[in-house]
Amino acid sequence: MRMSFRLIFSLILGVTLLSLLFAVFQGRAEKRSLQKELESRAAIFGDSLESKVANLLEYRSHRRLQELAGEFGKREPLMGIAVFDKGGERLAATPGLEDYVSTELPVILQSISSDSRKAEFKTLNEKFLHFYVTPVHDEAQEAGALVIIHDASYIKAQTLQLWWRTFLSTLAQAVFIALVTLLIIQLSILGPIARTTKWMKELRAGRGAAGRHGLDEKDLFQPLAQEVTHLARSLTYARAAAQEEARLRETAEARWTPERLRVHVRSKLGDRPFFVVSNREPYIHSFKGKNVEVTVPASGLVTAVEPILRTCQGIWLAHGSGDADRLAVDENDCLQVPPDDPQYTLKRLWLTKEEEEGYYFGFANEGLWPLCHIAHTRPIFRSKDWECYQSVNQKFADALLKEMQGMEEPGVLVQDYHFALLPQLVKERLPGARVAIFWHIPWPNPEAFAICPWQAEILKGLLGADLVGFHVQSHCNNFLETVDRVIESRVNWERFSVERSGHITQVRPFPISVAYPEAGTPERSGASPYLDRATLMKEHGVETTFMGVGVDRVDYTKGILERFQGLERFFEKYPVFLGQFTFVQIGEPSRTHIKRYHDLLGEVESEAERINWRFQTSKWKPIVYLNRHHSHQELRRYYQAADLCLVTSLHDGMNLVAKEYVAAHEDNQGVLILSRFTGACRELRDALIVNPYDVEQLADAIHTALVMDHAERDDRMRRMRQVVKDFNIYRWAAELVTQLCEIRLDTHVEVS
Ligand code: ADQ
């Protein structure tokens, strides 16, 4: 409050001083203009009288002169006139003026002696007067002088009045400005500060929510609001992490948390630098209208890998794919991330359209993706795509090696099938690097893999790594069998490793998972899923009792069409559920540049429409199809509200949707229907396991899920939640890093 009074006082003082200064100038200008006006009036008047006075002087008619002077009394502001002869003797004067005009006035004598017009303002007998003296000439060119006297006190009065007016208006303005300022300060500064202070107190006491700081984020406080939000989030997060750690210690639970991962990674890596390479970047800058927006792609990878990189301030190399990505990087194409709390470096690599076409869409997604997924879509292998794939792998390897220059034993974690050749390219030039590659998709049997024309090159590339990770043991086995058949090497089936040219590659399963509980969300939301379901379905104009959900990228491996067939059969077989059960399919369009994916989008849409057309009523329909990306918060609402979740992949490395659904079901009341061809089905044994090609089985599983009694649902979900809880994403990252760090690089030949 003292500060605002100081501010107001300074403001009033400043405004008043400025206005007074302005008033001084204005007063002076006004005075000068009134004086000038009076001077010219006197001059005109003098000119008009001059000849008349000259005549009377010439004829020495003093009486007539006195009569003339008498005529000009009391014509305000004119006080009168006086006439002097050339000797300076007063000949006539308007009555009453005698006291003011005498030759003692220097101006009169100066005018007569210099024979020129003179004027002056003078205060006489407390009167402010103006004297105008003009010489009067007769025939002989010397006669006397005419003096015109004006009362100039009105100039002073008017100037004073102007001063007063200015002073009063200044005062009024200053008071008004002060009041408005006070109001603005109160509303825009003191109010928000008071609210924020209250919120901070609550936050300190552990009661406030991170975003409710009371500052307007579009206004004056925008930068502060952002910082305060980050600070509050960090505080809330740190407090939750500390509480969770304490709770885990108390219950002697060995659950993995981001904090535990951080400590673990620090102890394993020590001062060793760490690098991650992936095709997809963790932060994408893109234009939204004229603004640039940062998004985190929906994937568990960022959640898992970030704590590692944060711990060792590592570098993440990825393809810069956002249309505003170039605006955010420095001259080395790097930026510090996360944007709101920078802790590690993201280095972006740029690919040409042709490179992206050949390496990403071509070889990786039209070749390797269908090759590794047994989903009856034929892989396409083009030499041009293969060349692109090789050159892009080389490009990433060069960039990585440049960053690792001079380092002795850096750790490198390569992600996925986009970079099969990278491990070898790196190890050839920097044998001291510890390189792991994690293959997120399945590895098929050797017969299936054999159709790839460059299978040997791909295997050699992968075997450059010290560690190759898959989701499940059967993918490891398939990989080792493929290696055994295709290239000259020694496969050790006891240790699950391959020795080739004196280098050993370990092959291990690391089942990926989700964060549990989800990062930034309270473990229990407390909201009733049934209420939320009604609201959710109302948003889509549907009234229903039961609800199911499916969440996928629209990909032919996910079995979306098979799922729809199962749903159709379910309604045929169990018509009592018509009008009672609705299935929400959330399908994010993916890789739509590829014809197969583009066509699939249309097929999924028309199949949903066909089934809806067959069964729907005015207030109900069997399928709600939402073909866009949803945030994790949005997905969570659907997961929590759904009685069942359908995961019907024809082949899937792991499938994170199954685990996300389980992690979201805090009430233990959802049922997971899970394809037997997913990696997840090895862990989530309490799901209803189905063959997605078996339409009858699918329909029956939906029915079983909907009629399952409360206790059984509870039992199954509880056990699945325990699995996801114990084997969460942090554990995945910890095990990968541990394994990589424990490999002995100097052991070139294994002792069997
Ligand atoms: P994906 O084939 O992409 O991953 P999945 O494991 O199901 O498949 O992960 C998909 C992720 O995207 C999930 O986190 C899901 O929430 C999200 N997602 C899907 N549809 C979405 C939508 N419409 N809106 C928003 N988010 C959506 C590959 C392999 C998998 C393996 C993972 C991780 O194919 O087998 O499990 O990598 O290793």
Side-chain angles (χ1 to χ4, degrees):
M1 217 46 188
R2 271 178 64 192
M3 193 216 91
S4 54
F5 276 125
R6 242 183 295 150
L7 188 76
I8 298 286
F9 180 70
S10 325
L11 208 70
I12 291 183
L13 196 70
V15 173
T16 312
L17 282 178
L18 198 73
S19 302
L20 287 179
L21 203 68
F22 178 66
V24 167
F25 282 117
Q26 234 192 348
R28 281 195 182 162
E30 176 78 0
K31 191 174 172 186
R32 261 199 305 275
S33 108
L34 286 171
Q35 285 179 342
K36 266 196 170 155
E37 189 192 303
L38 186 61
E39 275 169 3
S40 63
R41 198 193 296 175
I44 294 167
F45 185 46
D47 287 351
S48 69
L49 272 187
E50 194 186 335
S51 59
K52 203 170 185 178
V53 172
N55 271 342
L56 292 176
L57 275 177
E58 198 174 348
Y59 296 110
R60 309 214 167 268
S61 178
H62 291 181
R63 193 180 52 80
R64 288 281 300 122
L65 273 175
Q66 185 55 45
E67 276 172 17
L68 182 70
E71 283 174 26
F72 293 107
K74 297 199 178 108
R75 289 192 192 178
E76 278 186 8
L78 180 67
M79 283 180 74
I81 61 168
V83 181
F84 288 76
D85 67 11
K86 63 181 179 197
E89 190 183 334
R90 189 175 69 211
L91 302 177
T94 305
L97 276 193
E98 296 82 359
D99 291 349
Y100 299 104
V101 279
S102 72
T103 41
E104 279 167 27
L105 274 174
V107 68
I108 298 173
L109 282 181
Q110 279 166 8
S111 172
I112 294 171
S113 60
S114 65
D115 193 21
S116 62
R117 293 173 178 187
K118 298 277 177 199
E120 111 171 315
F121 285 92
K122 199 168 178 67
T123 305
L124 278 181
N125 299 340
E126 296 177 355
K127 263 198 167 180
F128 185 57
L129 303 171
H130 177 251
F131 294 89
Y132 178 80
V133 188
T134 178
V136 181
H137 299 105
D138 57 9
E139 292 285 295
Q141 289 299 313
E142 42 185 23
L146 169 64
V147 182
I148 297 164
I149 305 138
H150 278 96
D151 183 355
S153 351
Y154 77 95
I155 294 181
K156 278 197 169 174
Q158 277 190 23
T159 313
L160 194 69
Q161 213 176 14
L162 183 85
W163 268 81
W164 259 112
R165 266 207 314 269
T166 314
F167 176 72
L168 288 178
S169 75
T170 303
L171 197 70
Q173 271 178 40
V175 170
F176 180 72
I177 290 174
L179 286 177
V180 171
T181 313
L182 201 66
L183 196 71
I184 291 173
I185 290 178
Q186 186 60 41
L187 291 179
S188 333
I189 302 177
L190 295 180
I193 287 179
R195 283 198 298 278
T196 308
T197 311
K198 188 170 164 231
W199 164 77
M200 275 180 155
K201 276 187 192 155
E202 283 178 1
L203 199 72
R204 198 154 41 83
R207 294 192 302 268
R212 299 201 193 119
H213 43 61
L215 298 174
D216 188 347
E217 291 185 31
K218 290 188 198 111
D219 216 346
L220 186 70
F221 289 110
Q222 189 196 17
L224 186 65
Q226 283 173 354
E227 282 312 309
V228 163
T229 307
H230 297 326
L231 202 70
R233 281 209 186 115
S234 307
L235 180 69
T236 312
Y237 179 74
R239 183 179 281 137
Q243 279 170 357
E244 182 63 4
E245 288 297 327
R247 196 188 65 74
L248 292 176
R249 261 198 309 280
E250 186 68 21
T251 54
E253 246 187 79
R255 189 175 348 148
W256 281 90
T257 62
E259 286 319 307
R260 186 172 165 200
L261 173 61
R262 226 172 279 186
V263 174
H264 180 82
V265 165
R266 165 67 55 232
S267 75
K268 289 287 165 194
L269 284 177
D271 293 331
R272 215 176 278 150
F274 200 78
F275 296 83
V276 171
V277 185
S278 70
N279 174 67
R280 179 72 76 88
E281 50 184 344
Y283 295 93
I284 303 176
H285 286 79
S286 37
F287 283 110
K288 196 165 189 190
K290 281 184 186 160
N291 298 329
V292 173
E293 197 179 56
V294 187
T295 48
V296 180
S299 122
L301 202 60
V302 184
T303 319
V305 173
E306 252 191 359
I308 308 176
L309 289 174
R310 279 175 188 244
T311 306
C312 52
Q313 278 114 47
I315 298 182
W316 188 323
L317 253 85
H319 169 213
S321 57
D323 55 6
D325 270 355
R326 285 179 196 262
L327 299 182
V329 295
D330 61 17
E331 62 281 7
N332 297 318
D333 300 324
C334 292
L335 74 153
Q336 294 300 306
V337 287
D340 53 6
D341 181 20
Q343 298 204 25
Y344 67 93
T345 306
L346 167 62
K347 184 176 172 74
R348 286 175 170 154
L349 263 78
W350 316 112
L351 298 181
T352 61
K353 224 174 165 158
E354 291 70 38
E355 281 174 329
E356 203 181 347
E357 197 66 47
Y359 135 84
Y360 180 75
F361 290 109
F363 194 74
N365 285 317
E366 284 190 288
L368 287 179
W369 178 269
L371 176 74
C372 292
H373 289 92
I374 312 297
H376 312 287
T377 290
R378 200 190 141 162
I380 301 171
F381 296 112
R382 305 179 193 95
S383 322
K384 229 171 139 235
D385 292 348
W386 170 239
E387 281 160 24
C388 268
Y389 187 82
Q390 286 173 296
S391 71
V392 171
N393 269 249
Q394 186 67 57
K395 195 172 187 170
F396 272 78
D398 292 343
L400 184 62
L401 285 160
K402 198 171 158 207
E403 295 298 328
M404 297 194 301
Q405 223 165 22
M407 294 179 183
E408 277 189 8
E409 214 180 275
V412 181
L413 177 55
V414 183
Q415 300 293 332
D416 233 351
Y417 61 101
H418 310 98
F419 297 113
L421 309 179
L422 195 76
Q424 188 186 20
L425 294 172
V426 171
K427 285 290 271 193
E428 272 172 1
R429 282 172 48 200
L430 190 61
R434 286 173 180 272
V435 181
I437 181 162
F438 188 78
W439 197 261
H440 287 259
I441 60 177
W443 192 278
N445 58 45
E447 291 76 21
F449 198 77
I451 65 168
C452 175
W454 302 285
Q455 60 165 339
E457 285 85 340
I458 288 170
L459 290 171
K460 284 178 196 160
L462 286 168
L463 290 176
D466 302 296
L467 178 64
V468 177
F470 293 97
H471 289 300
V472 293
Q473 187 61 50
S474 66
H475 298 158
C476 297
N477 296 351
N478 283 348
F479 176 74
L480 289 173
E481 276 175 28
T482 313
V483 170
D484 214 7
R485 291 230 195 140
V486 179
I487 52 176
E488 214 165 294
S489 60
R490 193 153 71 97
V491 174
N492 185 329
W493 283 99
E494 271 169 32
R495 291 169 185 257
F496 290 100
S497 62
V498 182
E499 188 207 322
R500 184 176 163 267
S501 313
H503 176 254
I504 294 166
T505 305
Q506 313 264 11
V507 182
R508 295 280 185 281
F510 299 96
I512 205 166
S513 191
V514 294
Y516 185 100
E518 275 188 56
T521 57
E523 202 162 345
R524 286 184 183 278
S525 65
S528 156
Y530 298 98
L531 282 181
D532 207 28
R533 178 185 311 157
T535 329
L536 256 185
M537 297 316 288
K538 215 171 167 187
E539 285 167 20
H540 303 296
V542 174
E543 282 179 17
T544 186
T545 317
F546 303 101
M547 182 202 142
V549 72
V551 177
D552 312 79
R553 281 184 304 101
V554 180
D555 191 300
Y556 50 83
T557 61
K558 301 295 178 185
I560 302 172
L561 293 173
E562 286 73 7
R563 193 176 306 171
F564 285 177
Q565 280 172 20
L567 281 162
E568 186 176 22
R569 184 72 192 117
F570 162 74
F571 285 114
E572 284 169 0
K573 254 179 129 167
Y574 305 100
V576 68
F577 282 97
L578 286 170
Q580 299 294 321
F581 172 70
T582 293
F583 182 73
V584 179
Q585 175 62 50
I586 300 178
E588 181 181 4
S590 166
R591 305 172 193 169
T592 45
H593 283 13
I594 300 172
K595 187 174 179 305
R596 178 75 183 90
Y597 284 82
H598 183 267
D599 293 348
L600 182 68
L601 267 183
E603 285 168 43
V604 169
E605 188 125 6
S606 63
E607 196 58 1
E609 255 175 47
R610 184 187 65 76
I611 297 169
N612 279 341
W613 179 249
R614 183 171 169 199
F615 296 114
Q616 73 189 11
T617 62
S618 61
K619 287 187 177 163
W620 174 85
K621 57 181 169 181
I623 298 174
V624 170
Y625 177 48
L626 309 173
N627 61 349
R628 69 164 174 90
H629 178 83
H630 285 63
S631 70
H632 262 264
Q633 281 81 348
E634 285 178 297
L635 288 184
R636 214 177 140 79
R637 268 183 88 201
Y638 285 96
Y639 286 144
Q640 285 183 331
D643 297 285
L644 62 89
C645 175
L646 268 172
V647 175
T648 54
S649 310
L650 306 181
H651 203 185
D652 217 333
M654 173 54 69
N655 193 287
L656 290 178
V657 171
K659 292 188 174 179
E660 285 167 9
Y661 177 72
V662 169
H665 258 275
E666 291 143 12
D667 62 353
N668 294 326
Q669 279 305 304
V671 179
L672 176 65
I673 299 174
L674 183 60
S675 159
R676 54 187 284 203
F677 305 121
T678 59
C681 85
R682 318 283 164 113
E683 294 171 88
L684 304 176
R685 295 185 177 276
D686 281 285
L688 299 181
I689 307 291
V690 290
N691 170 0
Y693 294 95
D694 185 342
V695 179
E696 293 297 324
Q697 194 190 29
L698 259 182
D700 291 342
I702 297 169
H703 181 254
T704 308
L706 291 176
V707 299
M708 189 181 284
D709 69 51
H710 189 280
E712 188 179 351
R713 279 167 178 251
D714 193 276
D715 259 10
R716 285 174 180 262
M717 186 51 92
R718 211 176 277 280
R719 282 195 292 268
M720 287 195 287
R721 281 174 66 76
Q722 192 61 46
V723 172
V724 178
K725 202 175 189 177
D726 292 344
F727 295 88
N728 64 11
I729 187 79
Y730 307 113
R731 180 164 179 172
W732 173 84
E735 287 182 354
L736 241 171
V737 170
T738 308
Q739 189 75 40
L740 182 63
C741 291
E742 285 176 357
I743 286 171
R744 285 189 53 192
L745 294 186
D746 54 350
T747 314
H748 292 305
V749 182
E750 274 188 301
V751 185
S752 49

